[in-house]
Amino acid sequence: MNKRYIAGRAAEYRAKKELEKEGWVVLRASGSHGVFDLAAAHPTYSKTRWIQIKTCKNNSMSRMREDFLGHPPLMGSFDRSQELWVWHCGTWYKSVT
């Protein structure tokens, strides 16, 4: 298997586990080629979270954020957030729109 795929998948599961500890119900879009890797809903909040997960070893985080913000927003009147989580050197860097 590709090392990047393995690292990305591990980061997705790490994020999924973190959200589930906070009470979110999380769906992972395995093999995702779309904008979002995780969709999360909370049983007591009327909010959904749409999350793109990235990993990086260098200073490409600003480029990732620019690419992410270039996607059109989700349509609909529901309360939702579009988030980019980047796993870098053992820390999550999160951007929410």
Side-chain angles (χ1 to χ4, degrees):
M1 263 193 215
N2 181 322
K3 287 182 182 182
R4 285 190 207 172
Y5 173 80
I6 293 169
R9 183 183 65 190
E12 289 171 6
Y13 278 110
R14 187 178 295 116
K16 183 177 186 289
K17 189 174 181 179
E18 182 177 318
L19 289 163
E20 288 172 340
K21 281 183 181 178
E22 296 173 3
W24 293 87
V25 177
V26 184
L27 172 67
R28 179 179 169 265
S30 57
S32 172
H33 297 286
V35 179
F36 302 105
D37 296 310
L38 302 175
H42 200 281
T44 57
Y45 308 141
S46 60
K47 178 180 181 177
T48 57
R49 297 170 74 176
W50 301 83
I51 305 167
Q52 174 66 43
I53 303 294
K54 295 288 186 185
T55 61
C56 73
K57 293 182 181 178
N58 54 30
N59 294 328
S60 62
M61 285 188 286
S62 61
R63 193 190 97 247
M64 287 182 198
R65 188 171 190 280
E66 288 172 10
D67 291 347
F68 176 73
L69 294 175
H71 289 288
L74 291 171
M75 301 309 233
S77 59
F78 53 92
D79 187 14
R80 47 87 182 115
S81 65
Q82 294 176 217
E83 305 177 24
L84 172 64
W85 291 21
V86 179
W87 182 255
H88 179 66
C89 295
T91 303
W92 284 116
Y93 295 89
K94 301 175 184 180
S95 177
V96 180
T97 59

